[in-house]
Amino acid sequence: MLTLFHHPFCAHSRFVRLALGEYGLNARLVEERPWERRHEFLALNPLGQVPVLQDGDVVLADSNAILVYLARRYAAGSPWLPDEPIAAARVQRWLSIAAGEMKFGPAAARVITVWRGPGDLAEVQAIAARLFRFMEDQLATRAFLAADHPTLADVSGYPYTARAPEGRISLDPYPHIRAWLARLEAVPGWIPMPVAPPQA
Ligand SMILES: N[C@@H](CCC(=O)N[C@@H](CS)C(=O)NCC(=O)O)C(=O)O
């Protein structure tokens, strides 16, 4: 039995739900409010972050770690995480970007604008602009980020990109990115990222 501790507006959690959907796996979803620092949740992930996956005795935190586990455990040999070394490295690069430029650019902008978190909006928007320019150039020559078919690179690239406008980052200058988002949303089983609710 798989259990996923997640938050509905957390894109890191969404990566995992996308992968579960694509592999046809059912998981019990437990909504966690990480900021409440529940004792039981901290026992699962001392860093106090969602997502966390429980699979029997296995407890895994970190969206990238969970993505790799689910692919190797439940979708071995599938195109989502290729075995071939160069293809695997290309996917890994985008997983690193999701934890780096994506988190400190578009994700951080959304934390500031939607949840009034700390940070300098102009600074994180500049990180996002550099990232999106790079993605736009990549997607001008290929349909998906790491291959000619969807991979975990797209799973981890999609949620924060799709919701970037919530961080006051327009996707208008990036037609190839917008076309890629639409291609992904047409993939069977794809779960779109929900719009964040207005904050009081
Ligand atoms: N590296 C982690 C980052 C996850 C993360 O930042 N989760 C956020 C919500 S989207 C969280 O739980 N934040 C609470 C905190 O950091 O205290 C991953 O990829 O899973």
Side-chain angles (χ1 to χ4, degrees):
M1 162 70 140
L2 293 169
T3 301
L4 179 68
F5 295 82
H6 77 118
H7 190 273
F9 300 110
C10 164
H12 292 89
S13 301
R14 183 62 43 162
F15 304 166
V16 177
R17 291 188 61 189
L18 279 166
L20 289 167
E22 290 305 325
Y23 306 153
L25 295 171
N26 286 321
R28 185 171 70 97
L29 294 179
V30 177
E31 186 172 327
E32 184 65 39
R33 298 160 176 254
W35 57 90
E36 289 179 357
R37 296 278 181 262
R38 278 195 319 119
H39 240 69
E40 297 84 345
F41 184 63
L42 288 173
L44 296 175
N45 180 10
L47 288 183
Q49 296 175 331
V50 285
V52 169
L53 181 80
Q54 232 175 353
D55 185 4
D57 292 341
V58 177
V59 176
L60 288 170
D62 190 275
S63 55
N64 284 346
I66 297 169
L67 287 181
V68 169
Y69 170 76
L70 288 174
R72 292 283 186 246
R73 174 80 180 74
Y74 292 105
S78 82
W80 291 97
L81 182 57
D83 286 328
E84 192 279 318
I86 296 174
R90 290 201 172 115
V91 171
Q92 181 58 53
R93 181 180 192 195
W94 286 100
L95 297 185
S96 299
I97 286 175
E101 286 83 352
M102 198 62 93
K103 178 167 170 113
F104 297 109
R110 190 164 159 266
V111 167
I112 294 169
T113 56
V114 178
W115 288 282
R116 304 199 177 98
D120 180 328
L121 186 59
E123 207 171 278
V124 301
Q125 285 172 332
I127 296 172
R130 194 169 59 148
L131 170 62
F132 286 164
R133 179 48 52 202
F134 172 63
M135 285 173 72
E136 179 71 5
D137 291 346
Q138 297 287 303
L139 291 165
T141 59
R142 66 169 75 114
F144 298 98
L145 287 175
D148 58 5
H149 54 82
T151 66
L152 292 184
D154 305 288
V155 167
S156 70
Y158 166 81
Y160 287 123
T161 306
R163 298 270 55 92
E166 291 172 0
R168 293 192 217 131
I169 299 163
S170 170
L171 294 178
D172 289 353
Y174 310 112
H176 295 298
I177 291 181
R178 286 187 278 114
W180 164 74
L181 292 174
R183 269 195 296 281
L184 288 174
E185 283 162 6
V187 169
W190 199 263
I191 313 169
M193 180 71 187
V195 174
Q199 302 297 300

